[in-house]
Amino acid sequence: QHATHLVFVSGKNENQHLVSALNAERLNMQVMSDADLKEEYREICKYFSSNARASTLVFTSDQAGAGKTHRILSIFHENNAMNARDNWVYHRVPIHGHTPASLLIKLLTDSPDLSNHPQFHHIDIGASGKQTELNSLLFQLVVIGLVFDHRSGAVYRRF
């Protein structure tokens, strides 16, 4: 009744093993079907998108100047107008080229008034971003709720 689900997401490499950090033993587990994994992901996104604590919006376009930033800034100003007592702080996080976890954490935390006001992060991903590594970091941030830098031990928590 109090059990929790634990999902490991891994690439499709042959002979890849997930190892428990607690006892360094191989874990025997079943692989989820693509359909089940997509459904679980949809439920996670639905929860975080409808939760009052956080909201994630994604704007994409292959064209520069298509109005993405304008729309994001409009949402920011509308949100502050409706919730004047919260005083959200806008924080643009530019991502261009190689972005290791340490840099993403630094970019997310280099913001004024971190402790006093909720943050409105605009993660602006340039065309030169390395997709595989960046996808993994964004998955950690959006779905798991934190980004962890294994080299320094630094952590950024979304909530």
Side-chain angles (χ1 to χ4, degrees):
Q1 136 187 3
H2 296 289
T4 185
H5 295 280
L6 180 61
V7 177
F8 290 96
V9 178
S10 178
K12 293 184 177 182
N13 295 337
E14 290 295 320
N15 299 319
Q16 185 175 32
H17 300 285
L18 295 171
V19 179
S20 167
L22 297 175
N23 60 14
E25 295 200 18
R26 289 186 185 173
L27 302 171
N28 292 319
M29 63 186 87
Q30 292 181 316
V31 176
M32 293 176 74
S33 70
D34 285 349
D36 288 344
L37 182 59
K38 288 176 184 175
E39 177 61 23
E40 289 300 321
Y41 178 73
R42 189 184 65 74
E43 289 297 319
I44 290 168
C45 291
K46 180 179 168 185
Y47 171 78
F48 284 112
S49 294
S50 63
N51 191 328
R53 294 182 308 170
S55 180
T56 302
L57 301 173
V58 178
F59 296 88
T60 64
S61 174
D62 292 334
Q63 297 178 352
K68 298 178 297 290
T69 297
H70 177 75
R71 180 67 185 133
I72 291 166
L73 288 171
S74 296
I75 291 170
F76 168 72
H77 290 295
E78 290 168 10
N79 184 58
N80 267 355
M82 291 187 311
N83 302 301
R85 67 183 174 96
D86 286 340
N87 265 340
W88 287 71
V89 175
Y90 175 81
H91 182 208
R92 182 176 171 268
V93 178
I95 296 180
H96 304 283
H98 179 67
T99 308
S102 59
L103 179 58
L104 181 58
I105 292 169
K106 183 179 181 331
L107 291 169
L108 288 167
T109 56
D110 282 352
S111 172
D113 291 329
L114 260 177
S115 61
N116 297 331
H117 302 286
Q119 301 291 297
F120 185 100
H121 291 290
H122 168 193
I123 301 176
D124 190 358
I125 302 171
S128 62
K130 292 198 175 196
Q131 298 304 317
T132 303
E133 183 178 26
L134 187 55
N135 284 343
S136 175
L137 290 172
L138 292 175
F139 178 86
Q140 291 174 46
L141 179 64
V142 174
V143 177
I144 298 171
L146 62 84
V147 176
F148 175 67
D149 179 17
H150 296 278
R151 292 184 183 180
S152 69
V155 176
Y156 173 82
R157 296 184 197 290
R158 190 171 147 202
F159 306 107

